[in-house]
Amino acid sequence: MSAPTGNTYSNTETLVDTQKNKRAVTALQTFGRSLGLGLYSLFALFPLFWMVLISFKSDREMFNTLFIFTPTLENYEAVLLRTDYFMAFFQNLIVSGGAVLVTVVAGVPVAYALARYNFKHKEGVAFQILSFRFAPEIMVVVPIFLIFQNIGLLDTYLGLIWVYQLITMPLVIWVVRGYFEDISVEVEQAAQLDGYRWFEVFIKILIPLIKPGLVAACLLAFIFAWNSFTFPLVLTGFQVQTITVTSMRYIASDTVRFGQVAVAALVAITPQLIACLFIQKHLVRGLSFGAVKG
Amino acid sequence: MAELVLRNVYKQYENTEKSWFRKKKAQKLDFAVKNLSFSCNDGEFIGILGPSGCGKTTTLRMLAGLETVTDGDIYIGETRINNLLPKDRNIGLAFEDYALYPPLTVYDNLAFNMRAKKMSNEEIQKAIDYVAPLLKVDDLLDQKPPSLSGGQKQRVNIARAIVRRPKLLLLDEPLSHLDGKMRQGMRHEIKRMHHEIKCTTIIVTHDQMEAMSLADRILIMKDGELQQMGTPMEVYDNPENEFVAGFIGEPPMNLLPSVIQKEEGTLFFTFENSPLRVEVPKRYLGILESGKKVTLGVRPMDVMVAKQTTAGSYIPIAIYENLGDERRISVRVGDSLMNMITTDNVVYERGQEVQLEFYAERTHLFDPETGKRIRAN
């Protein structure tokens, strides 16, 4: 470490000094980075925080910006106990979950077909599926309303689940298709030589391989379906209610009950929040790691 | 283990890509395999060799049942297997890019086939205990394919193909994804494995060295057609045509277009735009005459720099490479380069003028139009 000359001492000293400096710089960098990230998370999470805050405020305190106030549970009471908000919550769960379930059952085979087989207009079909996401919902919702009215699907679970396929299906098909394309056909052929039926190979080999992508795509699809507003607004009424539409109920024509809206929104985002926290790792991996190598 | 016979096998692919607007009938493409007939004996190691797109992998896939046979018959032993399902053919196929099952451990990969056959766990264990040390995968049994190296994957791949005790083992370019040193090691292991299990084996490769070193007999294909089949030395020493001559050997045989000319009562091979003249060996005297065009084939080892001054003309060395064990010299003959390999310890340099000497008895003649070998009477 030290040079074998007369000024060893001073050399060591400078060495220690530079090491100290380095350490100081690293510490500063870490601090700066933490500060930056902290500021960003404050920026990103503040709306959420504010929502929590106003959910505890009474109507009188709603529009001041004080952080110190007497918390009240009257908003929670009003939303959770005095209305059927939980009902809407579960109905939303049924509709969104059902939509994702149908998408998985129908979409994964579609993705497989698009990845493996060569047929006429294959790219056209794939693009058509993707294009469902292009059109604004408001544009198609009126014709769908008329059709549903005629065939009696208005205000039913089935109708909403069906229409939600427009939201969930393209996402799942396109993500999972990429995963299937990355799996070598030879793997399937090897299994064929091994004497397995296609379906067994699909369950035993292919499904585990596409799982990260499938989980991530399903989660996103679920969130999109959960948050969908236009379709349930027009296509549902009294039988089926989703929370996105129900939350609107707290915005009355004469007054907006922000405290109750905040409670409704908090309840509404809970499942997504939980799902994202739990599957976060899967989510990043599933959407960024395309390659499956065997 | 059994004999394999192919009789007049054809394969034609159909072009299923159709136009957007017009309905076209499925277009028939050229034959990928044309009139292929060969047989191999029980326990033999056959190498199918050819450039890419020559139909060798198609042939292998037809044997495995992954492609249909357009015409002709394939027999394993007494059974015609054309219409048998892949799983009923009793074939082990090692895929080129391994095609292991990534979610399963190596052990389960090996056991996958036997589980489909509903074999008992003890039997499976026994079979794997036999095969795993043979291909040195016994330490890997608990790992999953993504954590293995290329060579390990290939060993597992081959182990998976042989663990089911196939009648016929097919290896599809097993070494092509491995690097140089690994390739050599793997080659030895395949050879050793074949000695051990003595299973009829077919290896498909585009690397002539692999085929030469592994196979008992080599089958050379080009454009879907069989060019020649024989032992490695047969195809090396007696190539049937220009293609085989140029394909076997590294560096390949020099093929020089030449014209026979008579000077002072002696026949010479002469070359366009080159002062080089080579005396026609005695055995060809009966079939060659002045003015005839032939392609002269000579292996790089069979031509050398003359040690003593001869009647021939001097030619400058165009490229000189010293590779340590051997030295490669190239001279320009007309438009092409002629390569020579010498193990003498004489050092030359570029531009130096030398005389050449041919091993006359080891030259080959080919018809420049058909590419067929011209044999001395």
Side-chain angles (χ1 to χ4, degrees):
Chain A
M1 289 296 271
S2 56
T5 48
N7 57 355
T8 311
Y9 178 74
S10 61
N11 261 356
T12 328
E13 200 176 41
T14 30
L15 202 68
V16 170
D17 266 5
T18 40
Q19 274 181 345
K20 261 186 192 166
N21 277 343
K22 259 188 197 162
R23 224 171 286 151
V25 167
T26 333
L28 207 66
Q29 275 177 343
T30 319
F31 176 74
R33 216 173 291 146
S34 309
L35 188 74
L37 285 173
L39 281 175
Y40 175 72
S41 55
L42 199 68
F43 170 74
L45 293 178
F46 193 76
L48 205 65
F49 170 70
W50 195 249
M51 208 156 73
V52 176
L53 217 60
I54 61 175
S55 74
F56 288 107
K57 284 184 175 180
S58 65
D59 280 351
R60 248 178 317 110
E61 295 161 319
M62 196 57 64
F63 298 105
N64 63 31
T65 44
L66 297 175
F67 288 89
I68 299 154
F69 56 92
T70 334
T72 166
L73 283 176
E74 75 184 48
N75 293 323
Y76 285 86
E77 213 181 298
V79 172
L80 303 181
L81 299 181
R82 269 182 266 137
T83 64
D84 53 355
Y85 191 69
F86 268 124
M87 197 62 198
F89 183 86
F90 285 116
Q91 287 181 340
N92 206 13
L93 212 57
I94 292 171
V95 174
S96 306
V100 171
L101 204 69
V102 170
T103 297
V104 169
V105 170
V108 171
V110 172
Y112 179 84
L114 284 173
R116 277 285 184 269
Y117 300 115
N118 258 322
F119 50 87
K120 216 171 159 186
H121 307 327
K122 175 172 123 172
E123 287 309 313
V125 169
F127 183 77
Q128 158 111 49
I129 292 169
L130 186 67
S131 72
F132 291 149
R133 297 289 289 151
F134 296 172
E137 289 166 8
I138 199 79
M139 197 178 85
V140 291
V141 79
V142 174
I144 290 177
F145 175 82
L146 293 174
I147 294 168
F148 273 24
Q149 202 174 32
N150 279 321
I151 59 178
L153 279 177
L154 217 53
D155 205 9
T156 60
Y157 287 120
L158 183 65
L160 212 52
I161 287 175
W162 190 2
V163 117
Y164 273 8
Q165 298 309 311
L166 287 176
I167 301 169
T168 54
M169 194 77 102
L171 190 74
V172 169
I173 287 178
W174 274 76
V175 171
V176 171
R177 181 193 183 191
Y179 270 78
F180 276 130
E181 277 171 350
D182 281 338
I183 301 172
S184 147
V185 193
E186 294 190 340
V187 171
E188 282 172 58
Q189 288 171 344
Q192 212 181 326
L193 276 167
D194 277 342
Y196 283 87
R197 278 183 311 238
W198 178 83
F199 191 70
E200 291 171 313
V201 178
F202 193 77
I203 298 292
K204 282 190 183 149
I205 307 293
L206 297 184
I207 293 292
L209 286 179
I210 61 162
K211 208 174 72 190
L214 188 63
V215 169
C218 282
L219 187 67
L220 277 185
F222 179 80
I223 291 174
F224 288 151
W226 182 269
N227 287 344
S228 173
F229 178 71
T230 319
F231 287 139
L233 178 70
V234 179
L235 300 177
T236 63
F238 300 104
Q239 305 295 323
V240 181
Q241 290 173 327
T242 68
I243 50 173
T244 41
V245 180
T246 315
S247 306
M248 290 287 288
R249 207 191 295 155
Y250 308 105
I251 304 174
S253 53
D254 52 343
T255 171
V256 180
R257 300 189 177 278
F258 279 111
Q260 294 178 10
V261 172
V263 172
L266 274 180
V267 174
I269 62 167
T270 318
Q272 303 171 19
L273 222 52
I274 292 170
C276 279
L277 286 178
F278 273 101
I279 330 187
Q280 191 192 25
K281 218 165 72 184
H282 243 86
L283 192 68
V284 176
R285 217 179 80 88
L287 294 178
S288 56
F289 279 61
V292 190
K293 294 234 166 81
Chain B
M1 284 175 224
E3 270 186 356
L4 169 76
V5 180
L6 275 82
R7 251 182 240 144
N8 308 93
V9 170
Y10 286 85
K11 174 67 192 177
Q12 189 172 34
Y13 286 106
E14 276 178 11
N15 190 357
T16 48
E17 289 272 322
K18 287 165 205 160
S19 113
W20 265 70
F21 302 108
R22 284 169 296 147
K23 271 194 180 176
K24 265 196 277 183
K25 272 192 178 173
Q27 223 181 343
K28 299 255 178 184
L29 298 177
D30 277 348
F31 285 102
V33 173
K34 280 176 239 170
N35 199 9
L36 181 65
S37 303
F38 71 89
S39 63
C40 56
N41 307 324
D42 192 5
E44 205 174 11
F45 202 135
I46 298 279
I48 301 182
L49 181 62
S52 43
C54 74
K56 54 190 193 302
T57 298
T58 307
T59 308
L60 201 73
R61 290 171 65 86
M62 283 195 287
L63 292 175
L66 299 172
E67 300 280 357
T68 54
V69 180
T70 308
D71 197 15
D73 308 298
I74 303 176
Y75 292 91
I76 293 181
E78 299 295 308
T79 334
R80 183 173 182 272
I81 60 162
N82 282 36
N83 299 319
L84 285 185
L85 286 174
K87 66 184 171 84
D88 300 327
R89 294 188 179 199
N90 215 337
I91 276 174
L93 170 58
F95 287 90
E96 182 180 350
D97 58 3
Y98 323 130
L100 300 176
Y101 310 122
L104 306 182
T105 62
V106 169
Y107 184 91
D108 290 330
N109 263 282
L110 298 181
F112 206 62
N113 168 261
M114 294 180 285
R115 296 229 167 98
K117 288 184 193 154
K118 306 261 185 292
M119 280 167 69
S120 72
N121 281 336
E122 292 86 62
E123 282 177 291
I124 293 175
Q125 183 73 50
K126 229 173 108 186
I128 293 178
D129 282 346
Y130 171 69
V131 167
L134 197 65
L135 282 144
K136 296 183 186 152
V137 296
D138 33 356
D139 296 338
L140 312 172
L141 292 175
D142 295 331
Q143 294 186 37
K144 288 192 176 179
S147 64
L148 302 180
S149 72
Q152 290 172 330
K153 280 181 194 169
Q154 191 54 271
R155 287 209 295 272
V156 175
N157 186 14
I158 296 173
R160 184 179 61 173
I162 62 175
V163 76
R164 69 193 69 177
R165 304 253 160 186
K167 284 183 182 165
L168 181 63
L169 176 63
L170 308 173
L171 305 172
D172 189 1
E173 310 231 5
L175 308 178
S176 62
H177 289 319
L178 305 180
D179 55 44
K181 206 166 182 185
M182 184 84 87
R183 199 178 277 212
Q184 186 154 7
M186 199 66 214
R187 213 161 65 199
H188 292 158
E189 287 188 24
I190 291 177
K191 188 110 190 162
R192 189 173 52 81
M193 183 259 318
H194 182 249
H195 278 300
E196 187 84 16
I197 62 168
K198 295 186 181 63
C199 171
T200 313
T201 305
I202 294 186
I203 184 170
V204 155
T205 174
H206 60 261
D207 181 352
Q208 51 98 18
M209 201 147 78
E210 247 171 75
M212 295 285 281
S213 65
L214 284 172
D216 297 325
R217 279 193 296 160
I218 298 180
L219 196 146
I220 296 155
M221 290 180 75
K222 182 199 170 196
D223 299 336
E225 281 175 287
L226 178 64
Q227 303 291 312
Q228 188 174 1
M229 185 171 184
T231 64
M233 283 332 283
E234 268 169 28
V235 293
Y236 184 82
D237 286 335
N238 289 309
E240 285 288 338
N241 57 36
E242 246 177 68
F243 176 77
V244 175
F247 204 77
I248 302 279
E250 167 54 35
M253 186 186 276
N254 296 300
L255 294 164
L256 307 165
S258 94
V259 183
I260 310 289
Q261 273 176 12
K262 196 167 202 168
E263 284 172 30
E264 299 163 6
T266 322
L267 287 176
F268 285 98
F269 295 106
T270 62
F271 308 92
E272 202 180 341
N273 298 330
S274 171
L276 183 68
R277 289 183 312 161
V278 181
E279 197 177 325
V280 173
K282 286 194 184 66
R283 61 186 175 130
Y284 289 128
L285 286 176
I287 50 168
L288 296 180
E289 59 204 37
S290 183
K292 190 174 165 84
K293 283 184 181 171
V294 293
T295 302
L296 176 66
V298 56
R299 295 219 174 262
M301 294 294 280
D302 298 335
V303 56
M304 54 189 178
V305 173
K307 293 203 176 64
Q308 294 144 355
T309 317
T310 55
S313 44
Y314 282 88
I315 300 182
I317 291 175
I319 300 168
Y320 177 73
E321 298 165 298
N322 195 338
L323 302 183
D325 295 344
E326 58 182 39
R327 275 143 285 280
R328 294 187 177 184
I329 303 166
S330 303
V331 296
R332 198 165 283 287
V333 177
D335 297 331
S336 48
L337 281 174
M338 181 168 71
N339 301 309
M340 300 181 268
I341 295 180
T342 166
T343 49
D344 303 344
N345 272 320
V346 187
V347 175
Y348 299 95
E349 48 187 67
R350 189 170 170 273
Q352 190 177 345
E353 302 222 323
V354 290
Q355 284 183 312
L356 304 181
E357 194 177 327
F358 286 72
Y359 282 117
E361 293 309 315
R362 296 176 66 173
T363 52
H364 307 272
L365 293 186
F366 302 99
D367 189 314
E369 267 152 40
T370 62
K372 286 244 158 54
R373 171 97 181 261
I374 302 173
R375 290 184 186 279
N377 295 330

